[in-house]
Amino acid sequence: MKEITAILFMMGLLFSSQDRQLKIVNNQPGDSLLVGFKEVNMDSLNMLNRMAYADTANFMHQKVYPCARCFLRPEAAQALEKANEIAQDKGYRMVVYDCYRPITIQYKMFEIVGNPEWVARPTKGSNHNRGAAVDVSLSDENGNLLDMGGAFDDFSEVSHYSYSNLNKEAKANRKLLRNIMVRAGFIPYESEWWHFDFKQKRYPASGLVWSCND
């Protein structure tokens, strides 16, 4: 009986810990800024703004972001800016597809995809929901996308970093992108060549939604 009680106690600690991690911070009336986040000013940094969910050209065919702005936790934003500097030193531009994603959008995505390999379960939360993940690629100086062997948000094995049936150019470009992001402090995700996590610090999931007027 004591052993069962101890197991139940440990399970309770586990679930309460998960609940704390997923405690959602939401907008309050009158809020216009995302407290605890930093905006990455893509225009001033000469990044290519391709925020996919601020348009209908995405796998949901719906615009689910109010506008194409990139917010991240300050440390993650600084790391992305460092990655951009490394890319520019090599003659490339950073292409940004996604940054912070409100967890309400995560629920909508998971309803459509239903596969946690591609879209994290909203009950667990994605690092996108924490402001600590980015979806990125590279272009040349003129904004022409580098060949990565597959499109952003292609939910198939083609998107696996180590997918074998790629031409040499695509393999080299994936390796280039990965090396830049790792040097800047990000961790790659093997199932999606474009996804990188910033895991040096743990952040809570957030439901904050940005304004387009400030």
Side-chain angles (χ1 to χ4, degrees):
M1 186 64 181
K2 290 182 179 179
E3 292 179 356
I4 294 174
T5 302
I7 292 171
L8 291 173
F9 176 74
M10 293 302 296
M11 290 177 65
L13 288 178
L14 174 62
F15 290 136
S16 64
S17 175
Q18 291 175 341
D19 289 342
R20 284 196 298 272
Q21 289 176 2
L22 286 176
K23 182 179 180 181
I24 309 304
V25 179
N26 293 300
N27 292 69
Q28 299 298 317
D31 284 354
S32 61
L33 299 176
L34 300 191
V35 177
F37 290 82
K38 177 185 177 182
E39 182 167 11
V40 178
N41 192 323
M42 292 181 279
D43 289 340
S44 67
L45 294 169
N46 199 30
M47 295 179 176
L48 200 58
N49 185 339
R50 290 291 184 91
M51 294 287 285
Y53 310 124
D55 196 355
T56 57
N58 55 62
F59 73 93
M60 296 177 289
H61 307 292
Q62 299 177 45
K63 177 182 176 179
V64 293
Y65 287 174
C67 52
R69 300 175 71 174
C70 172
F71 291 90
L72 292 168
R73 299 295 181 173
E75 296 87 351
Q78 184 177 5
L80 181 59
E81 291 171 7
K82 180 179 178 180
N84 184 56
E85 291 177 2
I86 298 170
Q88 289 186 344
D89 286 344
K90 294 178 178 292
Y92 301 100
R93 295 174 65 186
M94 189 66 63
V95 182
V96 181
Y97 290 113
D98 198 18
C99 301
Y100 162 65
R101 179 191 308 155
I103 200 161
T104 50
I105 308 302
Q106 193 74 19
Y107 276 93
K108 181 176 290 189
M109 287 183 174
F110 192 77
E111 285 178 5
I112 295 171
V113 177
N115 185 338
E117 181 180 10
W118 305 112
V119 176
R121 296 182 187 277
T123 51
K124 178 182 178 183
S126 162
N127 277 320
H128 279 296
N129 310 140
R130 297 179 169 88
V134 290
D135 293 338
V136 294
S137 188
L138 294 170
S139 76
D140 64 19
E141 292 179 326
N142 297 317
N144 300 304
L145 297 180
L146 300 194
D147 178 11
M148 294 293 175
F152 165 70
D153 266 3
D154 178 349
F155 298 136
S156 72
E157 63 178 0
V158 173
S159 296
H160 292 184
Y161 176 79
S162 58
Y163 181 66
S164 58
N165 193 22
L166 295 174
N167 61 49
K168 290 183 179 180
E169 181 181 3
K171 287 181 180 179
N173 289 337
R174 287 189 181 191
K175 184 176 181 180
L176 172 65
L177 175 63
R178 174 173 285 207
N179 287 344
I180 289 172
M181 297 302 287
V182 169
R183 278 185 60 189
F186 289 92
I187 298 173
Y189 177 52
E190 296 299 325
S191 293
E192 299 174 349
W193 59 261
W194 59 81
H195 179 100
F196 296 88
D197 292 301
F198 185 82
K199 292 186 176 180
Q200 281 83 337
K201 187 176 178 180
R202 186 70 170 175
Y203 305 94
S206 174
L208 294 172
V209 180
W210 56 91
S211 167
C212 300
N213 301 319
D214 51 71

